[in-house]
Amino acid sequence: MTDMTENRGGETETSAARRSPLAKRAGGDPGSRGRTTIADGVVEKIAGLAARDVDGVHAMGSGLSRTFGAVRDRVPGGAKSVTRGVKAEVGEVQAALDLEIVVVYGAAIADVARDVRENVITAVERMTGLEVVEVNIAVSDVKLPDEEEEEPERRIQ
């Protein structure tokens, strides 16, 4: 129940507004003052993790970037890059993403791409509040069952 009172000008104000000197002084909700910017790398990390979480995705990135990534992962202090295979362009209210994936042999590529797109859009929009206008997916390879593992990417659960 909101407690309403009449102020000098004949307008009513809620008891919450009376208690908040910030709302009175600067006019408006304190949470809406100022700007929040989100770096491209933040969106790339979110998208990379969301894409890897989809069944049928073996790895992210082209063969060359995966090779360099495997070498970097073996270097002491070198961290696994969750942004491999992901490129984001982030504006003030919208984002566009390009992903390069390797699909497991036998998986329906169109279904995997659709699931990746849906998972990435959901994760990025939920975590950042940005509108994802497009997610372009390039399938750069298919992981065959008899191929040697260069360095399997662990799925984050």
Side-chain angles (χ1 to χ4, degrees), residues 43-45 47-48 51-52 60-61 82-88 97-100:
V43 173
E44 289 169 354
K45 283 183 180 182
R52 283 175 176 80
M60 300 287 295
V82 296
T83 61
R84 183 182 315 145
V86 182
K87 177 69 179 130
L97 294 137
D98 294 322
L99 282 75
E100 191 170 359

Side-chain angles (χ1 to χ4, degrees), residues 97-137:
L97 294 137
D98 294 322
L99 282 75
E100 191 170 359
I101 65 173
V102 177
V103 176
V104 174
Y105 176 80
I109 293 173
D111 293 343
V112 171
R114 182 196 65 237
D115 293 346
V116 166
R117 192 171 282 113
E118 288 175 2
N119 210 35
V120 166
I121 289 170
T122 300
V124 170
E125 287 184 346
R126 180 180 56 82
M127 293 180 69
T128 66
L130 296 168
E131 176 192 9
V132 178
V133 293
E134 67 179 3
V135 177
N136 299 310
I137 298 173

Side-chain angles (χ1 to χ4, degrees), residues 47-100:
L49 291 172
R52 283 175 176 80
D53 199 34
V54 173
D55 286 334
V57 174
H58 172 71
M60 300 287 295
S62 66
L64 185 61
S65 72
R66 290 194 326 269
T67 301
F68 284 130
V71 170
R72 185 177 51 245
D73 294 345
R74 288 185 179 92
V75 173
K80 183 170 227 102
S81 175
V82 296
T83 61
R84 183 182 315 145
V86 182
K87 177 69 179 130
E89 293 180 24
V90 179
E92 288 187 30
V93 295
Q94 295 180 325
L97 294 137
D98 294 322
L99 282 75
E100 191 170 359

Side-chain angles (χ1 to χ4, degrees), residues 30-38 91-92:
S32 66
R33 292 183 228 151
R35 290 181 356 143
T36 302
T37 57
I38 300 171
E92 288 187 30

